[in-house]
Amino acid sequence: MTHKPVRWLILGVIVLLPVAWWMLRGEPASGVFVGFGGGPPGGSFFPAAGAVSTFVGQQLPDLNVSVEGTGGSGENVRLVNNGDTDMGVAYGGDLHAGYFGTDEFTDDPQTNLRAVGLLFWGYDHLVTLQGGDIHSVADLEGKRLDLGGAGSGSALTGERYFRHLGLLDTMRLSYLGGTAASTALKDGQVDAYHWVSGVPNGAVLDTMATHDVVLLDMATPAIESGLLEAYPYYRLGEIPADGYDDLDAPVPTIMMGTYWIVNKDLPDDIVHDMVAEAYSQDGATFMRQAFEPLRDMTPDQALQGLTVPLHPGAQRYWEEVGVDIPESLRAR
C-alpha cells in the first residue's frame, strides 16, 4: 500500500517557505501589506492561502501578503468583516450565514464581507477506523465524535448536519480538528471525526498512513432528511476513489464551495490585480502544483455556489474575462 503524506509534506514546504520568508525576514519591506486569514494545521485553508499569497507575491513585488493562522471558516468570516485581516478563506455556508445574519450569525450580520471567487470544493469527510461498530451515520448515536476545530467551517457544518438529522445531542462531542482529530482517533480518544476539506486532505492522509479507515456515506442521510432543501449552499458530491490510495470506490457525501473573501474596503485595484494573477493560466498551473485542490480555481467555476456580492475589484476582472455575473452577485 502506498500513501501520499511525504508528497504532501514536500508540497507544503514548497508553498510555505516563501510565505515564512515574507513574514519572518528582519529587514523592513516597502509596498502594501495585506493579511490573509488561513486556517488551522492539517486543514486545507492554510496551504490554499499560502499558495495564492506566494504566487501573487512573486508577480506583484510591491504587494506583501502575510498568511495568518486562524480557527477556520467561521472565525475568518468575523476577522475579515471586522477588518482584523484583509482577506481570508471561508466555506459557502459560513459566508452565507455571516452576510445574511442567519444560523450562528443570527442578529449579527457580517455585511462588510465581499466575495472574490471559488478556491476549491470542500468535501465532507466522516472518518472512522475499520473493524469497529460504526458502519453508517446512524451508528454514531451515543458515540464520541470530533466535529472539527472550534469556530471552523468543519465544526459549523457538522453541527448543522447532525442537528438536522437529530443526532447532535446524542453524541459526546469534541472540537479538535485537523491532525489533532486524526491523532485522537488513532489513540482511541474518539470514535470518529468530521472534517470538511479539499481532496486529498492532510489530516485524513495522516490517519490512513498508519490505520485502515472507513469514510462514511454522508449523502444518503442528507437526501433522506431534506438537508439540501434546508441548506441550499450544500450539494451532493463524491470523494473520488483516486483522491486517497485506500479507497476502492467513490464515497457519496455533501460538498460546498470554499471561497476567497475580502473586506469591502480593500482597494479595488489591489483586489483586481491579485485576482488577475491568481486566476491566470500561469497562476492556475502554480496552484495545482502547489496545492492539488486548487485545480478548481477556474473562471468557469469561479462564481458557482456563491450567494453574496462580489468585491468591485473582483467583478471587474470577471467581466474582463467574460464571466457572466448574476444580478444577485453584482458588487454593492
Side-chain angles (χ1 to χ4, degrees):
M1 184 182 301
T2 59
H3 299 284
K4 299 180 182 177
V6 173
R7 184 194 69 177
W8 200 257
L9 177 61
I10 293 171
L11 288 178
V13 171
I14 291 172
V15 171
L16 296 180
L17 271 179
V19 177
W21 180 82
W22 278 111
M23 295 174 67
L24 298 177
R25 61 181 181 165
E27 64 185 74
S30 60
V32 177
F33 288 83
V34 176
F36 202 141
S44 298
F45 284 13
F46 197 87
V52 171
S53 64
T54 298
F55 182 78
V56 170
Q58 292 171 351
Q59 306 305 310
L60 302 172
D62 290 333
L63 188 66
N64 302 320
V65 187
S66 61
V67 180
E68 303 162 358
T70 72
S73 182
E75 183 177 352
N76 287 347
V77 164
R78 288 192 167 91
L79 289 172
V80 174
N81 179 78
N82 295 338
D84 295 322
T85 191
D86 300 294
M87 56 184 58
V89 184
Y91 287 124
D94 306 316
L95 180 55
H96 179 95
Y99 185 82
F100 291 102
T102 65
D103 293 345
E104 64 275 14
F105 296 97
T106 297
D107 299 325
D108 186 26
Q110 309 286 295
T111 54
N112 293 329
L113 296 172
R114 295 296 183 269
V116 167
L118 182 77
L119 292 173
F120 60 87
W121 292 104
Y123 296 82
D124 234 334
H125 295 66
L126 193 51
V127 186
T128 190
L129 300 182
Q130 286 188 16
D133 59 353
I134 300 175
H135 307 288
S136 70
V137 170
D139 293 334
L140 288 170
E141 183 174 356
K143 297 295 195 297
R144 299 166 300 170
L145 175 67
D146 188 87
L147 275 181
S152 69
S154 294
L156 296 173
T157 291
E159 288 173 351
R160 293 186 199 112
Y161 181 88
F162 292 108
R163 183 181 296 113
H164 188 83
L165 268 57
L167 289 173
L168 188 67
D169 294 333
T170 74
M171 299 179 292
R172 288 167 286 172
L173 304 175
S174 59
Y175 292 85
L176 297 172
T179 52
S182 172
T183 299
L185 178 62
K186 292 186 293 185
D187 291 347
Q189 297 172 358
V190 298
D191 301 303
Y193 68 83
H194 168 263
W195 196 241
V196 184
S197 73
V199 174
N201 169 258
V204 180
L205 289 171
D206 177 76
T207 312
M208 289 180 169
T210 56
H211 290 69
D212 293 326
V213 308
V214 176
L215 296 183
L216 299 177
D217 172 2
M218 297 186 69
T220 300
I223 296 169
E224 294 175 348
S225 68
L227 181 134
L228 300 177
E229 289 73 28
Y231 300 104
Y233 38 79
Y234 295 121
R235 60 178 65 186
L236 296 178
E238 289 183 331
I239 298 173
D242 62 358
Y244 299 101
D245 291 339
D246 289 15
L247 294 185
D248 297 323
V251 179
T253 189
I254 59 173
M255 56 187 279
M256 64 178 163
T258 307
Y259 300 100
W260 180 355
I261 63 173
V262 298
N263 184 279
K264 69 178 182 63
D265 294 328
L266 195 60
D268 294 1
D269 287 346
I270 291 177
V271 176
H272 172 272
D273 293 350
M274 291 184 70
V275 176
E277 295 295 347
Y279 287 88
S280 68
Q281 290 187 351
D282 289 343
T285 300
F286 179 90
M287 300 306 165
R288 287 194 300 270
Q289 293 175 346
F291 186 58
E292 193 171 342
L294 295 179
R295 61 184 176 273
D296 298 329
M297 281 182 67
T298 59
D300 62 310
Q301 297 189 85
L303 307 188
Q304 289 185 13
L306 261 182
T307 59
V308 308
L310 292 165
H311 187 281
Q315 176 173 307
R316 175 153 60 98
Y317 175 73
W318 297 128
E319 289 174 336
E320 289 169 356
V321 297
V323 173
D324 182 42
I325 302 175
E327 187 61 34
S328 61
L329 302 184
R330 299 193 73 83
R332 55 182 181 273

